Amino acid sequence: MTLEDKQAGNGRKSQQYLDEEQQANAKPVTTGRGEDSVKQGADEKCDIPRKVLKLYSWQEIRRHNHEADQWLVINRKVYDVTEWAKRHPGGHKVLNHYAGEDATDVFRAMHPKLDIVKKYLKPLLIGELAPEEPSQERNKNAQLVEDFQELRRTLEAMNMFKANWVFFFLHLAQILISETLAWLMVWYFGNGWLVTIFISFLLLISQTQSFFLQHDSGHLSVFTNSKWNHLMQKFLMSHLKGLSIEWWNSRHFQHHVKTNIYPKDPDTDVGPLFLVGDIKPVKYGKKKIKYIDYEKQHLYFYLVGEKRPGTFISVASGRAPRPPRLRPAQVGIPLFVPLYFNVKSIQSMYFQRCWADIAWVSSFYIRHFIMFGPFYGIFGTLLLIYGVKFLESAWTIFVTQMSHIPMKITREENRDWFSTQVLATCNVEQSFFNDWFTGHLNFQIEHHLFPTMPRHNYHKVAPLVRSLCAKHGLPYVSKPLLEAFGDIFRALKKSAALWRDAYYET
């Protein structure tokens, strides 16, 4: 039966529907309260009371896109997530970035177990799209969205989201063996220079591979149980690497849901040190902002230098001098992990009072002082820790940035999930070394489309993704490893030129 009522303020009609689990193809369902299943045929009527849902248009939904008023759409259902955003495990900004939009594909991509997360959605349900409204915003390619969803269903049927525990066990084993071997070396041979250099490289492998494996755990792709994934990430990221997982996850999830979208993706804004893409360099140039000589950013990206005096000039101040600024070559990629990452991690733990993170991170330093303190002392152990992080920084930054900095960085265009990820990422050619060296992030396109997929399956999925790109005329970019590294340099140089032209424009 059908009921009608008027909504306050807009007078739209409301219609009864079955509970959220009922599918659009009208298959038999159970309400979950003990009622019998109901068959809906062409000539049959449903006589079980159904839940009344208000109907909304995309025009109305788009108006609820502020931090104090957040609606989003998942599978044509409309949810008010304003209050839930404060408790969202992925951080409140993730939901805010999708307020007023369709979030069906990103919701499916980031949650491996829908039966669990749907329980949290039920109290947030306020209505659904009106029958005449498309399932996505009108600017999106409906056929591409449908093809991508069909691809995901195909991959699920192929068990591409099932982890191979042997693969991850061997990955963890190489990390623990490297750590143990480093300690045994210094215990047996002493703390000579050759031994110190050798164990530094062993610890470098352990640190970098720990970063890759915690990344897998953070995306819930190692264990079927989320709690085990979270525990594994704490062990790897905080105990083995000394960094806060709360800080990392909040930043990383934003990067995934709005990849290369300025300023929603935090990786598009690396503070005053570098300008990436086309938007921020022009913005800084027109405002006459010059914290650093950005013309040389592609050079000091690789370097560490000294601090020299200078001035900061802004249009608003009429070119008045400001406090000293940094000069070229003061900071480069070697200091990203030991300085930038650690400072941001400590700030996050302190201001958010993440006591569990503080305890885990403290265990990292305690363990190192116990293992290496007797041989190097407190100061020497700190030098060893940060010397390894210094080396790790270059490895990590090259791998993580080679697939994003050279790609298109835009403001919000509200593209479909598939197009957004393909245009913002690129791959590096597969080989045994490339897979190991990059932690399978050489398959960045597949990883961004399917973040919860175990990485050992990326190479199996890649041909299907490439085929879908070809069908819809989207570029599928794959490069040699060294070319990908060089593209970071070329992209920074291009951004520097855009800043220079805008800065000196009269």
Side-chain angles (χ1 to χ4, degrees), residues 144-361:
L144 175 55
V145 173
E146 183 180 338
D147 288 348
F148 172 70
Q149 292 174 351
E150 178 61 31
L151 172 61
R152 182 175 183 97
R153 288 191 289 270
T154 300
L155 298 178
E156 289 172 347
M158 294 169 61
N159 287 325
M160 289 294 101
F161 292 87
K162 184 178 181 180
N164 181 342
W165 70 268
V166 175
F167 172 88
F168 288 111
F169 173 80
L170 293 176
H171 198 296
L172 178 61
Q174 73 161 328
I175 294 168
L176 299 179
I177 290 172
S178 298
E179 291 265 345
T180 304
L181 188 57
W183 178 79
L184 290 175
M185 288 282 294
V186 73
W187 175 78
Y188 188 81
F189 294 106
N191 60 355
W193 278 106
L194 288 178
V195 172
T196 301
I197 292 172
F198 186 75
I199 68 168
S200 294
F201 279 99
L202 287 175
L203 294 174
L204 169 63
I205 292 173
S206 172
Q207 288 288 290
T208 308
Q209 296 299 326
S210 292
F211 172 77
F212 295 144
L213 188 53
Q214 73 81 24
H215 179 244
D216 298 319
S217 299
H219 282 296
L220 311 178
S221 64
V222 179
F223 299 102
T224 55
N225 189 312
S226 296
K227 292 182 179 179
W228 282 104
N229 280 302
H230 295 317
L231 181 60
M232 173 69 83
Q233 189 185 24
K234 289 178 181 178
F235 173 75
L236 292 163
M237 190 64 160
S238 299
H239 179 68
L240 290 186
K241 293 188 58 59
L243 294 172
S244 164
I245 62 166
E246 294 294 334
W247 162 76
W248 168 261
N249 286 341
S250 175
R251 181 185 180 93
H252 191 61
F253 292 154
Q254 290 182 70
H255 162 70
H256 263 274
V257 300
K258 289 294 182 180
T259 310
N260 274 20
I261 295 176
Y262 177 83
K264 293 181 178 180
D265 180 357
D267 287 0
T268 63
D269 187 356
V270 288
L273 297 178
F274 299 98
L275 304 178
V276 298
D278 300 342
I279 301 170
K280 191 175 179 180
V282 175
K283 175 183 175 182
Y284 269 42
K286 288 183 176 179
K287 291 186 176 182
K288 308 303 179 188
I289 297 177
K290 190 178 183 181
Y291 293 110
I292 298 177
D293 188 355
Y294 295 115
E295 282 188 83
K296 299 181 177 64
Q297 69 171 2
H298 56 292
L299 299 176
Y300 65 75
F301 180 73
Y302 300 91
L303 304 172
V304 177
E306 59 189 2
K307 184 176 181 179
R308 300 176 185 176
T311 57
F312 166 73
I313 296 174
S314 172
V315 152
S317 64
R319 301 183 63 85
R322 293 270 183 97
R325 63 175 171 84
L326 302 176
R327 298 290 290 184
Q330 190 209 348
V331 178
I333 58 172
L335 290 183
F336 258 84
V337 171
L339 183 61
Y340 182 77
F341 276 21
N342 275 272
V343 168
K344 289 293 185 180
S345 172
I346 292 170
Q347 283 180 339
S348 174
M349 290 188 294
Y350 176 76
F351 289 113
Q352 297 182 26
R353 301 294 191 267
C354 297
W355 304 117
D357 268 12
I358 291 173
W360 277 97
V361 171

Side-chain angles (χ1 to χ4, degrees), residues 397-425:
I397 296 303
F398 269 116
V399 167
T400 56
Q401 298 308 309
M402 66 183 181
S403 299
H404 294 303
I405 286 182
M407 304 304 289
K408 187 177 182 180
I409 298 176
T410 66
R411 293 193 183 274
E412 180 62 76
E413 297 178 345
N414 193 16
R415 290 178 175 269
D416 61 272
W417 173 255
F418 186 82
S419 299
T420 298
Q421 302 306 327
V422 168
L423 294 174
T425 57

Side-chain angles (χ1 to χ4, degrees), residues 92-111:
H92 70 278
K93 291 185 178 179
V94 172
L95 295 183
N96 183 240
H97 292 339
Y98 267 89
E101 301 178 16
D102 176 66
T104 302
D105 287 333
V106 64
F107 173 78
R108 187 68 189 92
M110 303 300 289
H111 300 99

